[in-house]
Amino acid sequence: MLLDFRYALRQFIRRPSFTAIAVITLALGIGATTAIFSVVDHLMLRDLPFPDAEQIVTIWQDNQRDQNPREDVAPGNYLDWEERQQVFAAIGAAVPYSMDLTGEGHRPEVIFSSQVSSGFFAALGARPVLGRVLQEEDFREGAGKVAVIGYGLWQRRFGGDSTLVGRALTLDGEPYIVVGILPADFDLGLMYSVGKRELWTPLLLQGWERNARSSAWWTVIARLGPAVSLSLARADMDRIAANLSEEYPATNEGIGVSIVPLREHLTGAARPALLVLLGAVALVLLIACTNVAHLQLARGTERVSEFAVRSALGGERLRLLRQLLTESLVLSLVGAGAGLAVAYWGVDLVKALSPGDIPRMETVAVDLRILLFAGGLAVFTALISGLAPALQFSNPHLQEVLKEGRVFGSRMRARLRGGLIMAETALALMLLVGAGLLLRSFAKILEVDPGFRTEGVLALQVFYYEDGHKREDRVQFFSETIERMEALPGVRSAGAVSAAPFLAANIDIRTTFVALDQPAPREGEEPQGYISHVTPRYFETLGIPLLRGRGFNQFDRTGTPPVVVINETLRRRYWPATDPIGKKIKIDNYFQDGVEIVGVVGDVRHTGLDTDPRPELFVPHAQTGMGSMTFFVRTESAPAAFVDELQQVIWDVAPLQTFYQTGTVPQLISTTLAGRRFTLVLLNAFAAIALIMAAVGIYGVMSVSVSQRTHEVGLRMALGADGDRLVRMVVGEGLKLTSLGVVLGLVAAAFGAQALSSLLFEIPPRDTIAFTSAVFVLLAGAFIACYLPARRATRVDPVEALRYE
């Protein structure tokens, strides 16, 4: 074996062009596959950083009355679940929150946090790196304020100071004692946010929350009890949900329970994209193996005399087979070594392109486990790319070779090369079709009208709860701040809204209402909508069209009759044939004496361009005093240039105010497309690599074929054959094989495209344009790959061609 390795290395050194092309091809295939597998392995295959993680589940409300049935949990429902359940060893809740960290010699910083119940850390089995987690005594009335912080916050803000445990931090203006620090891999990704959760404090129930069931905003996590199966847990929770539906029909009718294993929840959104990318790189790897097999067939054709002489001198076929497979293995190992460099770079690229909502993505890395995987890929590629050539050339036809003294490819080798071209073409076409489908889908999304004008608008999100949560102070803060913003040179208008479109950390409040001009609905069947608090010029600033009636003005304030504006979706659903202007409705928890509808505005897509508009009600901010709001400012020039100036305006009014999310509206929309863009960019990159590899493979095979037929070409030219006719003959033979591969690829792509259906938007998996475009691009590449060697063959001197070999 050592002699075989040494001989293989000498062979590769003597043929640097062949070696370089083969190594680069394998490096791309192995490197890309290793990079994507690193992500899939880390997120989907490895153990979660919790003891007995397979026993941990997440629990959600299953709202059959909604388009998106899985939702967060209402506080009242959770408390009943906690009291009545019989299957969980521990159950806990977490509420998305944020706190302003001040002091420590730094500017105020927003810390995304969670308020958690006493069973939260017990359900996870979390173990801190320093100190302790929250305990029962931290939740008792009168207990001191304590907090557990994340590893990232500890390192970033406090430099990993081990003395931080036991010290006080100023959070929202109050001292909290740090009792523990969690490890770096404590990343649940359970709740919406614009950043990772880095702080956990005790959840202390407000009195009204104990019976709150109409709105859901809690996240629930639990640990299955000993010997409790997932099906048994679901049966127990279904029992509780059925009882609650009977006890509270107004809020719980149609509300079930959905139990999802923690791993499935963490990877649920990213799983389809990751599996598609893993399949794509597997196709790239197979194409790379096919290309190297092409190269080894061509190189083996040059060595037929060598193999014949070895066999004539007594070399057994098994000995030749071992030598050829050893050469293939050496080539694959060198390619895998270069592929590791590609994999390291590829992992960094995937992490940079990935959307920010994939938990634990930042900890993905190439480690020993991935190195072993790369080694396994090297052996796999050695067998796939080297076995067929080795079987062919380890059994030379001695009499033919030694008698003729010329190297012609056998009919079997010609068929093998043709089969490799067809396989390579089919694999490349599958990738091109997939890339085309995603590209068409992405283009369709970009054509969607969000419902407002996006250019020239800047968003600044703030949570303002100063001065003891006084409503009057909050109204004054937003009113004064907007007035100062509009006084700035270059600012056209400004407004604010509580539930801003395309922002992650929104306060989405769903409520029920009753139309006083219609028959009273049955209990539990009241109309529903999402309620937003807006300032007078919000609609104007975003360019949301006013379809009927009027918007809000400075006279819609405390002490004046309450009014409401609805959107077109809500009007169409509940007043399809009448004009709602002037009608009165009673909104649950708002204006119980009734509120008049004064306007109808156009629909706005909130969470993404690929989502449908939702029914919405808008109430004047001056009549409610909501503190969680987002400023929208329309400017005359580039809005990003106004960020510092607008932030300073807010600090002039509230010096310690922090900002949760800031950006232009196009940037916010782009963020919601990050997941689709991630899959699109990578799959198109793989498709481009596959196309290039396929073209190179076809070019290589046709070059070898033409070189072996030099004598024939020279004879044809000597007899007067036209050069263009020869070109058409050679190109036609190449395109014939390619066309057969296209047919196979179309059949495979028609079935494989179904795997992309969940990633497509308004594009069928068998979209004619995507399939046709992929075929055209592939045939164009194949034509060029066939034309170049064909044209070169016609330039051979007939006299020299007749003396060839």
Side-chain angles (χ1 to χ4, degrees):
M1 288 295 293
L2 181 60
L3 289 174
D4 289 344
F5 272 100
R6 291 172 59 187
Y7 183 74
L9 289 174
R10 289 200 302 271
Q11 289 288 322
F12 296 143
I13 292 173
R14 289 173 185 168
R15 294 171 175 80
S17 298
F18 163 82
T19 305
I21 294 173
V23 168
I24 292 173
T25 300
L26 288 173
L28 287 174
I30 294 175
T33 305
T34 303
I36 297 299
F37 179 78
S38 299
V39 179
V40 173
D41 175 63
H42 193 83
L43 300 183
M44 299 175 59
L45 302 180
R46 298 201 182 194
D47 293 335
L48 294 174
F50 306 106
D52 299 321
E54 66 280 359
Q55 296 295 107
I56 305 175
V57 297
T58 59
I59 312 178
W60 312 86
Q61 288 187 179
D62 189 10
N63 187 352
Q64 298 302 322
R65 297 176 297 181
D66 202 341
Q67 292 180 340
N68 301 309
R70 185 181 297 178
E71 64 180 14
D72 293 329
V73 180
N77 290 340
Y78 166 76
L79 295 175
D80 283 325
W81 293 356
E82 183 181 38
E83 179 182 348
R84 303 182 190 187
Q85 65 86 17
Q86 301 174 1
V87 292
F88 301 122
I91 182 171
V95 182
Y97 204 68
S98 61
M99 307 186 82
D100 294 343
L101 175 60
T102 55
E104 303 290 336
H106 297 276
R107 293 182 66 175
E109 179 182 358
V110 176
I111 307 298
F112 292 98
S113 63
S114 297
Q115 294 181 336
V116 298
S117 69
S118 58
F120 179 79
F121 288 114
L124 291 170
R127 298 166 182 167
V129 294
L130 285 178
R132 63 174 177 84
V133 295
L134 301 178
Q135 299 175 350
E136 287 291 342
E137 58 266 22
D138 299 321
F139 296 86
R140 293 172 183 163
E141 187 175 353
K145 295 182 181 296
V146 296
V148 174
I149 71 170
Y151 190 90
L153 176 60
W154 180 44
Q155 294 292 324
R156 183 183 73 251
R157 181 87 179 213
F158 305 101
D161 185 0
S162 59
T163 66
L164 182 63
V165 174
R167 285 166 45 189
L169 301 181
T170 303
L171 299 169
D172 284 349
E174 298 187 51
Y176 281 73
I177 302 297
V178 177
V179 296
I181 298 169
L182 293 176
D185 55 7
F186 186 87
D187 183 10
L188 290 177
L190 284 174
M191 293 167 289
Y192 66 83
S193 70
V194 293
K196 183 178 178 180
R197 302 284 156 177
E198 296 185 300
L199 186 74
W200 294 264
T201 58
L203 173 60
L204 304 178
L205 286 175
Q206 306 293 323
W208 61 270
E209 290 180 311
R210 298 184 182 278
N211 295 310
R213 301 179 192 275
S214 59
S215 295
W217 68 96
W218 286 19
T219 299
V220 178
I221 194 163
R223 178 177 290 273
L224 296 174
V228 175
S229 65
L230 197 59
S231 58
L232 182 60
R234 285 171 174 157
D236 187 60
M237 294 304 293
D238 287 343
R239 171 186 62 82
I240 298 174
N243 292 338
L244 293 178
S245 179
E246 293 179 0
E247 296 172 22
Y248 307 100
T251 57
N252 284 61
E253 186 174 353
I255 301 295
V257 179
S258 176
I259 300 180
V260 182
L262 179 61
R263 179 186 295 279
E264 181 181 332
H265 170 75
L266 293 181
T267 60
R271 183 183 180 88
L274 291 177
L275 292 180
V276 166
L277 292 177
L278 187 61
V281 293
L283 295 179
V284 171
L285 182 61
L286 289 176
I287 293 173
C289 292
T290 307
N291 255 5
V292 175
H294 283 162
L295 293 171
Q296 297 204 78
L297 278 172
R299 178 169 161 268
T301 302
E302 300 172 0
R303 300 172 64 191
V304 168
S305 296
E306 172 197 337
F307 301 142
V309 171
R310 283 171 172 260
S311 183
L313 294 176
E316 296 180 354
R317 185 182 187 188
L318 185 61
R319 180 68 182 82
L320 290 176
L321 185 66
R322 191 183 76 182
Q323 173 64 47
L324 291 170
L325 286 177
T326 300
E327 292 179 11
S328 181
L329 179 60
V330 171
L331 195 64
S332 295
L333 289 174
V334 176
L340 284 176
V342 176
Y344 276 103
W345 175 80
V347 167
D348 290 339
L349 177 64
V350 171
K351 290 162 67 173
L353 291 174
S354 67
D357 59 353
I358 302 180
R360 301 186 299 134
M361 176 64 84
E362 68 275 9
T363 59
V364 174
V366 177
D367 54 16
L368 178 61
R369 178 164 163 153
I370 301 303
L371 293 178
L372 293 175
F373 174 79
L377 278 185
V379 176
F380 172 80
T381 54
L383 290 174
I384 294 297
S385 63
L387 185 59
L391 291 173
Q392 281 287 306
F393 295 115
S394 63
N395 187 28
H397 300 283
L398 294 179
Q399 291 183 352
E400 177 187 344
V401 175
L402 295 178
K403 179 181 177 180
E404 298 293 335
R406 297 165 68 177
V407 182
F408 288 102
S410 68
R411 182 174 298 178
M412 181 62 71
R413 284 195 284 276
R415 289 177 177 174
L416 180 58
R417 284 195 294 267
L420 290 175
I421 283 183
M422 289 189 289
E424 193 168 31
T425 302
L427 294 172
L429 183 62
M430 290 178 66
L431 279 174
L432 287 172
V433 167
L437 287 171
L438 289 184
L439 194 61
R440 291 258 299 145
S441 175
F442 198 77
K444 279 285 186 182
I445 289 179
L446 295 181
E447 294 173 359
V448 173
D449 181 11
F452 56 90
R453 292 187 289 119
T454 61
E455 70 284 351
V457 182
L458 182 71
L460 300 95
Q461 187 178 34
V462 301
F463 289 179
Y464 181 81
Y465 287 107
E466 298 290 339
D467 300 321
H469 295 229
K470 293 179 181 178
R471 183 175 63 97
E472 297 80 4
D473 294 325
R474 294 195 292 270
V475 171
Q476 176 62 29
F477 165 74
F478 286 100
S479 174
E480 181 179 349
T481 302
I482 289 174
E483 185 178 343
R484 294 191 181 199
M485 287 178 171
E486 292 183 326
L488 292 175
V491 172
R492 293 183 178 180
S493 64
V497 62
S498 60
F502 299 98
L503 262 72
N506 265 326
I507 304 298
D508 282 329
I509 303 174
R510 189 173 60 195
T511 186
T512 60
F513 65 91
V514 175
L516 299 183
D517 66 312
Q518 298 177 4
R522 291 194 308 171
E523 190 174 13
E525 297 182 357
E526 295 89 350
Q528 294 187 0
Y530 288 84
I531 190 165
S532 294
H533 309 249
V534 301
T535 60
R537 300 191 68 185
Y538 165 71
F539 300 123
E540 176 187 347
T541 299
L542 271 190
I544 300 174
L546 180 65
L547 304 180
R548 305 185 186 199
R550 68 172 179 89
F552 299 132
N553 55 45
Q554 68 272 23
F555 301 108
D556 297 317
R557 58 180 185 268
T558 303
T560 63
V563 292
V564 64
V565 170
I566 63 175
N567 73 340
E568 177 65 10
T569 292
L570 190 141
R571 182 208 67 79
R572 191 168 50 247
R573 183 173 301 182
Y574 300 114
W575 288 276
T578 60
D579 186 355
I581 302 301
K583 307 290 187 184
K584 283 200 170 186
I585 61 176
K586 292 177 64 175
I587 304 176
D588 187 29
N589 295 324
Y590 294 89
F591 313 120
Q592 291 298 310
D593 294 333
V595 55
E596 181 183 354
I597 299 174
V598 296
V600 178
V601 295
D603 291 331
V604 169
R605 300 175 192 268
H606 265 262
T607 56
L609 294 174
D610 55 351
T611 60
D612 295 328
R614 63 192 189 182
E616 292 190 273
L617 306 100
F618 301 91
V619 295
H621 178 264
Q623 293 182 344
T624 63
M626 171 66 75
S628 305
M629 300 284 284
T630 299
F631 292 102
F632 283 98
V633 182
R634 181 171 294 280
T635 62
E636 296 177 354
S637 56
F642 288 79
V643 172
D644 292 339
E645 197 170 1
L646 291 171
Q647 286 182 334
Q648 188 58 55
V649 167
I650 295 174
W651 283 327
D652 289 343
V653 181
L656 297 180
Q657 182 59 50
T658 54
F659 302 91
Y660 289 73
Q661 196 170 358
T662 301
T664 65
V665 170
Q667 288 173 340
L668 299 179
I669 295 176
S670 177
T671 300
T672 67
L673 298 174
R676 291 183 179 273
R677 190 184 303 109
F678 169 70
T679 310
L680 173 70
V681 171
L682 290 181
L683 189 58
N684 274 270
F686 297 148
I689 293 173
L691 178 62
I692 294 171
M693 283 185 177
V696 169
I698 295 170
Y699 173 83
V701 169
M702 297 309 299
S703 294
V704 171
S705 176
V706 168
S707 67
Q708 290 177 350
R709 299 171 63 183
T710 301
H711 186 80
E712 174 194 342
V713 171
L715 183 60
R716 287 175 177 270
M717 295 181 67
L719 294 175
D722 179 67
D724 291 340
R725 184 175 181 182
L726 290 174
V727 169
R728 289 195 297 271
M729 179 188 72
V730 175
V731 171
E733 292 176 0
L735 290 182
K736 179 180 178 181
L737 293 173
T738 304
S739 299
L740 292 174
V742 166
V743 173
L744 295 175
L746 285 174
V747 174
F751 288 99
Q754 294 297 327
L756 294 174
S757 56
S758 64
L759 303 176
L760 301 179
F761 176 76
E762 294 186 357
I763 294 292
R766 296 177 182 176
D767 179 64
T768 303
I769 296 178
F771 275 69
T772 304
S773 301
V775 171
F776 176 80
V777 170
L778 187 58
L779 289 178
F783 174 81
I784 296 172
C786 294
Y787 177 81
L788 294 178
R791 176 54 65 182
R792 188 175 66 246
T794 62
R795 297 173 183 170
V796 175
D797 185 351
V799 176
E800 294 296 326
L802 292 174
R803 289 205 301 251
Y804 182 69
E805 299 181 348

